[in-house]
């Protein structure tokens, strides 16, 4: 097993991301190591992961809490947060304990927020099983749950102790989920690396679980994210920083919130959101028509939606946008592109423009 | 209005505690100042506070969220956390927003955790209305809620931007609540200031809301807490640090958890817990019989319980103790006294000793 290691530099909270086919064994070793020091370990996973290719039912983990949540975005809720915290307490997990999140972004965000809040913070480890979680949500310490008013509106910054990315997990990932992850991969090219975007465009075969470049692509995305997170851990930078990772996300959150969680996978909404961000950028003279077309084309290669599947009320989209975390004092900020590979935060966008752009996706 | 200002030094998160009869006006000014910059403000308070001597129903605060929770420890629950976060979202509170917690420790802990979690952390201000909250829970950034498995098992470290202590609020505080706060005042003497304990013992009149020393006593407690918190914000110190503030609390949490939240006020349980800690210290040869008697005497002066009001099962007390956050890897740690004024953390206490000590409070 050849392992790529990407370091996330955050002084006292620095950690490594291990990327390899078979990296899951490293997670198992980390859990065993903690248990050998008599520190409690709990696993949080989801229905279609546990017992499929992950097996913690060996005697070493007999006494560990194993908490399985339902599939889908709906699992990121207060009910599951409470359930996990209570189960940790019932299993006598103390401050020396750790939570291992084994699953997609939903499990990582939920388990991470549970670990952040339980006893005001215990250790946790990310073991992402989807492409989206591998390149995005498992790195950087953003954790949280949804409320009916919006996605990720409740949460914490809580960095993992390590991230273990086992690329062999991708082989059983449904095609639609793989595509959703590709939206976040493409995002890295759009927000900060023109040549990486070109590399993705020019691949002879589209990326897939068995593509020889998949490990390198994931490592490249993690490196980009690690660098951005190191410079702006809590998204307080004035000139972009971590906020640039939200390219397409203001649109995406409004779409997900309005269409109902789960109707679009997060990555699908992000893909469409990036196309809308491209159109807004083009409208403001920041991006050429040809660049917008290139973005549309690569989304289509990965079967990502380039318009709404069903009509959505633009009033509701606008209303949802107002509640987005990126809004400040009632003004809307969007991450837009000054050409492919150069994202910038643009404040003070009029609602009328957002509405016009949303309407381009209507049909 | 003569205002004492105590600084809590925490580099980027430093803040001031303002102590004065009438300091509430300063909180009102802070809220108005934020509103004048078009930053949303929300108030969280409790039933018997709102409208009694606090009136935010002036036109300046017309558009602010005002969230009132029920009285008592039971309000520190997931249901209220969810309710507050949802209400903040419904009122379009964004990252520039702030929560003002106006009430006792329950409101401060609950509102503080809501502010810590909403959008992964917005500003908050503590406006404590009880003696206990003034000298202890409003300072230091510990926030949280209870679960049936134990007190404060879910929460966050989230420092306030400022604390406004209006000592005039104490004039309408029920005597029992005042006494409960006195337990935490006495604690500061026991854990780190022998002469302050002596000062309390030798007061001609016991402290009360109208006692000329009340403001100075509160300021002294805040100074002691500020110093401890500055040196050990996240309770990670190996040689005591912030953990010393938990003198009496391991016993107290077990008592509260077993008797049912609310049966004992937190301060009442802490008072009794400190007496039990004194007996354990005496048993281990760390404290003299005479010192234990002095501790018992001052608790009696303030009508604090020195035994259980009703019998409690020591099995249940021990079980609750096992779940306490201070437990590490199954071993029980207690904060004990090496003489009045010098607390130390003592690990590896046998359950049989804890049981024996609990039983001294049975009748």
């Amino acid at each position: 097993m050849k392992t790529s290691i990407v370091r996330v530099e955050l002084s006292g909270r620095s950690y490594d991301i291990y990327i390899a086919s078979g990296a899951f064994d490293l997670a198992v070793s980390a859990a065993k190591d903690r248990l050998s020091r008599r520190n409690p370990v709990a696993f949080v996973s989801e229905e279609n992961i546990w017992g499929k290719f992950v097996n913690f039912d060996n005697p070493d983990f007999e006494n560990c809490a194993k908490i399985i949540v339902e599939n889908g975005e709906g699992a990121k809720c207060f009910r599951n947060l409470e359930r996990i915290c209570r189960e940790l307490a019932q299993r006598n997990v103390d401050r020396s304990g750790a939570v291992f999140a084994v699953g997609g972004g939903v499990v990582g965000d939920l388990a991470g927020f549970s670990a952040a809040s339980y006893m005001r913070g215990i250790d946790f480890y990310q073991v992402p099983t989807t492409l989206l979680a591998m390149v995005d949500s498992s790195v950087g310490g953003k954790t949280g749950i949804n409320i009916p008013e919006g996605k990720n509106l409740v949460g914490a910054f809580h960095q993992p102790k390590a991230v273990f990315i086992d690329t062999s997990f991708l082989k059983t990932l449904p095609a639609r989920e793989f595509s959703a992850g590709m939206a976040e991969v493409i995002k890295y090219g759009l927000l900060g690396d023109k040549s990486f975007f070109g590399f993705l465009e020019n691949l002879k075969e589209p990326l897939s679980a068995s593509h020889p470049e998949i490990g390198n692509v994931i490592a490249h995305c993690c490196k980009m994210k690690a660098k951005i997170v190191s410079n702006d851990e809590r998204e307080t930078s004035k000139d972009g920083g971590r906020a640039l990772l939200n390219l397409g996300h203001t649109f995406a959150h409004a779409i997900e919130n309005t269409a109902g969680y789960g109707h679009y996978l997060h990555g699908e909404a992000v893909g469409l959101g990036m196309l809308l961000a491209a159109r807004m950028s083009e409208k403001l003279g920041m991006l050429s028509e040809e660049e917008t077309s290139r973005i549309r084309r690569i989304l289509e290669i990965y079967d990502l939606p380039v318009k709404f599947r069903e009509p959505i009320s633009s009033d509701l989209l606008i209303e949802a946008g107002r509640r987005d975390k990126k809004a400040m004092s009632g003004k809307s900020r969007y991450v837009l592109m000054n050409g492919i590979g150069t994202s910038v935060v643009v404040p003070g966008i009029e609602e009328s423009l957002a509405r016009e752009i949303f309407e381009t996706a209507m049909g």
Side-chain angles (χ1 to χ4, degrees), chain A:
Chain A
M1 167 167 102
K2 192 181 141 280
T3 307
S4 301
I5 301 178
V6 175
R7 181 87 174 157
V8 184
E9 292 289 354
L10 289 164
S11 61
R13 293 179 308 291
S14 299
Y15 57 95
D16 289 318
I17 308 166
Y18 301 85
I19 304 149
S21 176
F24 187 64
D25 292 346
L26 301 174
V28 169
S29 298
K32 281 190 188 167
D33 182 53
R34 296 190 71 110
L35 287 171
S36 72
R37 285 178 280 126
R38 306 193 60 179
N39 296 335
V41 163
F43 300 100
V44 179
S45 192
E46 58 190 298
E47 277 165 10
N48 63 353
I49 298 293
W50 199 262
K52 187 175 166 188
F53 37 75
V54 174
N55 179 19
F56 275 115
D57 295 337
N58 75 52
D60 287 322
F61 301 119
E62 203 175 6
N63 294 316
C64 297
K66 290 153 198 151
I67 304 165
I68 314 296
V69 300
E70 66 272 27
N71 297 132
E73 190 71 29
K76 279 173 64 174
C77 64
F78 266 108
R79 187 178 42 76
N80 278 333
L81 176 70
E82 181 172 9
R83 189 188 135 207
I84 293 170
C85 290
R86 291 192 59 185
E87 201 151 328
L88 294 175
Q90 285 159 15
R91 300 298 292 256
N92 295 314
V93 173
D94 61 21
R95 282 180 174 164
S96 73
V99 171
F100 283 71
V102 185
V106 165
V107 164
D109 286 3
L110 170 68
F113 187 36
S114 305
S117 304
Y118 182 68
M119 294 192 172
R120 299 196 187 93
I122 62 171
D123 288 349
F124 95 112
Y125 294 82
Q126 290 272 22
V127 188
T129 59
T130 64
L131 180 58
L132 187 138
M134 291 175 184
V135 299
D136 183 42
S137 60
S138 70
V139 175
K142 279 194 180 179
T143 70
I145 57 174
N146 306 322
I147 50 179
E149 288 73 16
K151 273 196 67 154
N152 297 321
L153 282 185
V154 181
F157 288 97
H158 191 56
Q159 299 293 342
K161 299 305 279 185
V163 182
F164 302 101
I165 297 180
D166 189 336
T167 55
S168 75
F169 286 179
L170 296 176
K171 291 186 178 156
T172 52
L173 190 69
R176 188 178 163 195
E177 296 252 8
F178 189 90
S179 289
M182 280 306 302
E184 298 279 2
V185 171
I186 293 163
K187 187 186 76 176
Y188 287 103
L190 293 179
L191 75 88
D193 193 337
K194 193 175 174 171
S195 68
F196 181 59
F197 186 80
F199 164 83
L200 294 173
E201 271 183 318
N202 295 322
L203 283 171
K204 285 198 186 103
E205 291 290 319
L207 281 175
S208 65
S210 55
H211 195 290
E213 291 293 343
I214 189 70
N216 293 333
V217 164
I218 292 169
H220 186 78
C221 294
C222 288
K223 260 178 225 156
M224 285 187 69
K225 178 139 188 189
K227 195 176 166 196
I228 292 169
V229 168
S230 295
N231 290 327
D232 182 27
E233 185 182 8
R234 288 184 166 243
E235 201 166 333
T236 47
S237 163
K238 295 288 171 207
D239 53 346
R242 192 160 183 160
L244 300 181
L245 292 166
N246 290 316
L247 176 63
H249 282 61
T250 303
F251 289 110
H253 287 164
I255 294 166
E256 289 178 275
N257 191 231
T258 307
Y261 297 140
H263 189 79
Y264 290 85
L265 295 177
H266 177 60
E268 291 173 340
V270 167
L272 183 48
M274 292 190 300
L275 181 59
L276 297 181
R279 286 190 185 136
M280 189 179 267
S281 307
E282 191 186 325
K283 188 87 190 175
L284 295 172
M286 298 162 66
L287 201 69
S288 71
E289 199 185 327
E290 186 257 336
E291 286 175 303
T292 305
S293 299
R294 284 170 65 194
I295 294 167
R296 184 186 168 119
R297 210 171 308 129
I298 198 162
L299 295 174
E300 285 173 335
I301 288 173
Y302 288 100
D303 286 323
L304 287 160
V306 293
K307 59 181 183 177
F308 296 139
R309 296 199 180 109
E310 287 154 27
I312 305 185
S313 150
S314 44
D315 287 343
L316 290 178
L317 286 164
I318 293 295
E319 179 54 36
R322 281 189 197 138
R323 281 197 303 269
D324 196 83
K325 286 195 300 301
K326 278 89 221 169
M328 291 290 277
S329 305
K331 292 182 192 76
S332 280
R333 297 154 74 226
Y334 283 82
V335 182
L336 300 178
M337 287 164 269
N338 246 327
I340 285 174
T342 310
S343 281
V344 285
V345 176
V346 180
I349 296 287
E350 299 285 338
E351 271 181 14
S352 57
L353 176 58
R355 184 183 296 268
E356 185 187 330
I357 297 296
F358 270 128
E359 281 167 3
T360 67
M362 288 298 173

